[in-house]
Amino acid sequence: MDPDPGAHVVNAVIQARASSTRLPGKVLRPLAGRSVLGWVVRAAASSPGIDNVVVATSTEADDDAVAEEAARHGALVARGPLDDVLARFAVAVESYPADAVVRLTADCPLLDPELIGQLVTLWRATPSLDYLSTTLVRTLPRGFDAELVRAEVLAEQVETARGADREHVTSGIYSRPETYSCSGVVVSPPADDLRVTLDTVEDWSVIEGVVAELGDRVGDWREVAAVLRSRPELATLNRHVEQKKVAR
């Protein structure tokens, strides 16, 4: 018999590094009194059903500051190879065991704890699911991305994934729905034309503009979308920015 779903441990693992190519040091930038990473840690810690928050950074000296900032905000820290993000997740699960992991990235300061909590609730209700996300069918603004992976499936990927799938951590799972059971969260009306993730200086201008309107508090995707809908001159600042594609 399956144990009480509430007994399943779910940890949030935030991947973070200082050496971003397009906007170096972005996760340590100050935003309304706390770092971008601090915003992400706070959102993860505020998410219903999350047991522990772990920041997975690299063992490079450049990322000592990332590890220190993570700890300062109350997160656990795991460190692994810079260029093998999947291996960093393996270290995080080995160091802080969990039945499932919610993957977050440190360049999404406006993350919505409610959305993360929805993924955890769905998985705890059906723990046989291998993968859940807010992006399987993208209806949310880019910047509210969260993915939940069953720990056993993540361990399989650590052993078998190659190339880009090691950088993108989960691409070897959601690209194989014939092998892995996948589900997701969609919203209506869709707002996937909006962008509040941090990759460029234009993205920074948009995020600063949203925070100036909403203040220093955890994200709510509906409020963020409402601000950008009411201020098209802000929303269009980063509309041309292209997300890095998964090279397969």
Side-chain angles (χ1 to χ4, degrees):
M1 180 178 292
D2 193 60
D4 174 8
H8 289 119
V9 174
V10 180
N11 289 348
V13 178
I14 303 163
Q15 64 184 71
R17 63 188 176 106
S19 54
S20 166
T21 52
R22 289 199 277 186
L23 197 61
K26 63 184 179 181
V27 303
L28 298 176
R29 281 192 171 213
L31 180 64
R34 72 185 68 227
S35 64
V36 169
L37 178 59
W39 278 73
V40 180
V41 169
R42 178 178 60 175
S46 302
S47 300
I50 291 295
D51 292 294
N52 300 289
V53 178
V54 184
V55 171
T57 192
S58 88
T59 53
E60 300 293 313
D62 282 356
D63 285 324
D64 289 349
V66 174
E68 290 165 8
E69 182 69 1
R72 194 168 75 82
H73 285 279
L76 302 168
V77 178
R79 302 185 72 169
L82 176 65
D83 296 323
D84 188 344
V85 186
L86 187 53
R88 277 192 256 151
F89 274 76
V91 172
V93 176
E94 182 180 343
S95 303
Y96 310 104
D99 299 293
V101 163
V102 173
R103 177 192 176 219
L104 305 171
T105 59
D107 53 6
C108 295
L110 303 182
L111 279 167
D112 187 335
E114 181 185 328
L115 293 171
I116 297 168
Q118 284 180 37
L119 294 182
V120 178
T121 298
L122 286 170
W123 182 76
R124 284 204 166 115
T126 314
S128 59
L129 286 169
D130 296 319
Y131 173 88
L132 299 99
S133 84
T134 60
T135 58
L136 200 59
V137 176
R138 183 177 290 281
T139 55
L140 285 155
R142 195 174 289 277
F144 294 100
D145 301 15
E147 303 168 285
L148 183 148
V149 184
R150 203 159 56 82
E152 291 171 3
V153 173
L154 190 65
E156 284 178 20
Q157 289 298 298
V158 171
E159 295 301 319
T160 62
R162 298 291 180 266
D165 289 338
R166 299 198 73 82
E167 177 188 354
H168 296 282
V169 182
T170 56
S171 53
I173 304 169
Y174 61 72
S175 64
R176 296 168 61 198
E178 72 284 356
T179 301
Y180 297 110
S181 54
C182 302
S183 189
V185 170
V186 298
V187 301
S188 184
D192 53 304
D193 58 308
L194 302 174
R195 177 184 172 90
V196 286
T197 191
L198 179 57
D199 276 326
T200 68
V201 291
E202 293 89 351
D203 292 332
W204 181 248
S205 296
V206 172
I207 290 169
E208 279 195 314
V210 170
V211 169
E213 292 271 354
L214 297 179
D216 174 26
R217 53 193 173 93
V218 293
D220 178 320
W221 79 266
R222 292 177 183 84
E223 291 184 349
V224 171
V227 168
L228 293 175
R229 294 291 186 225
S230 69
R231 294 187 55 191
E233 80 288 353
L234 185 61
T236 56
L237 287 177
N238 63 354
R239 190 153 288 171
H240 64 285
V241 176
E242 290 191 11
Q243 198 72 11
K244 289 168 68 176
K245 302 290 192 295
V246 178
R248 303 189 65 83

